[in-house]
Amino acid sequence: MASLKVIKMYNLFIIKTLIILLFCCSSNDLEPCDTMLDIKSLESEYGCENTKHLIDIALTDSFKIIRSQSSFDSLVSGPCKPQIDFTMYDLIIGKKGLTSGNTAIKYEMVRDCKTKMLRLTVTFIQNEATVALNITYHALIPKLKDEETIEVVLQIEY
């Protein structure tokens, strides 16, 4: 009789423990879970200068992922032609037509923990100048796996 009571108490303890674990370990949708990833530039890694104006790629309001030195050499023109370490990096490079002057470009790359998608946000900081520009943007990102893709989001701020 006493052993039956102990078994019932043990089962009740197990059930309560499972309920507590279920609620304690559930994901909280209110907390952000994006992971910031480190990105580099041709300026910081290879000493290139003024790349938004001095390097060029034959694109119009789009981007390309360059994964090898031979692709870089054949697609990108300009005075800066570094030997990029494509075992460590892939190069995202694109063009954006703007309707005013550009002060700076900011980059932010995140991996969404739910979807596992990579997202590179490129923010063009604009000024009042009435010069229409066609800007080259780029980011050296950690080497993508073969099946990985990346979303590039372009934003304009004044």
Side-chain angles (χ1 to χ4, degrees), residues 1 8 11 32 43 56 72 89 101 110 112 122 127 130 134 138 140-141 148:
M1 190 78 155
K8 284 183 180 180
N11 286 342
E43 287 93 347
D56 195 32
F72 177 79
Y89 302 115
V110 297
D112 184 298
V122 181
N127 57 44
T130 57
N134 199 14
H138 77 277
L140 288 167
I141 64 169
E148 264 184 320

Side-chain angles (χ1 to χ4, degrees), residues 119-130:
R119 183 177 57 254
L120 175 66
T121 302
V122 181
T123 305
F124 299 92
I125 311 299
Q126 298 302 102
N127 57 44
E128 300 292 322
T130 57

Side-chain angles (χ1 to χ4, degrees), residues 5-100:
K5 191 173 186 178
V6 169
I7 291 173
K8 284 183 180 180
M9 287 181 69
Y10 178 74
N11 286 342
L12 187 59
F13 172 76
I14 295 294
I15 291 170
K16 285 181 180 179
T17 303
L18 289 173
I19 290 172
I20 290 170
L21 287 174
L22 181 66
F23 286 106
C24 290
C25 296
S26 66
S27 66
N28 185 349
D29 291 334
L30 300 177
E31 290 184 25
C33 64
D34 290 345
T35 304
M36 297 291 292
L37 298 174
D38 192 31
I39 57 174
K40 307 284 185 190
S41 71
L42 294 175
E43 287 93 347
S44 68
E45 296 302 293
Y46 299 102
C48 296
E49 295 179 3
N50 197 17
T51 57
K52 66 183 180 180
H53 297 296
L54 296 179
I55 63 171
D56 195 32
I57 185 165
L59 296 172
T60 304
D61 286 328
S62 62
F63 73 94
K64 185 164 196 62
I65 300 171
I66 296 180
R67 302 185 70 140
S68 71
Q69 188 68 43
S70 60
S71 292
F72 177 79
D73 292 340
S74 67
L75 296 172
V76 178
S77 62
C80 189
K81 297 296 271 185
Q83 293 297 306
I84 298 170
D85 184 354
F86 282 102
T87 62
M88 285 185 58
Y89 302 115
D90 283 328
L91 176 68
I92 296 191
I93 186 167
K95 297 286 277 192
K96 176 69 178 154
L98 301 167
T99 58
S100 64

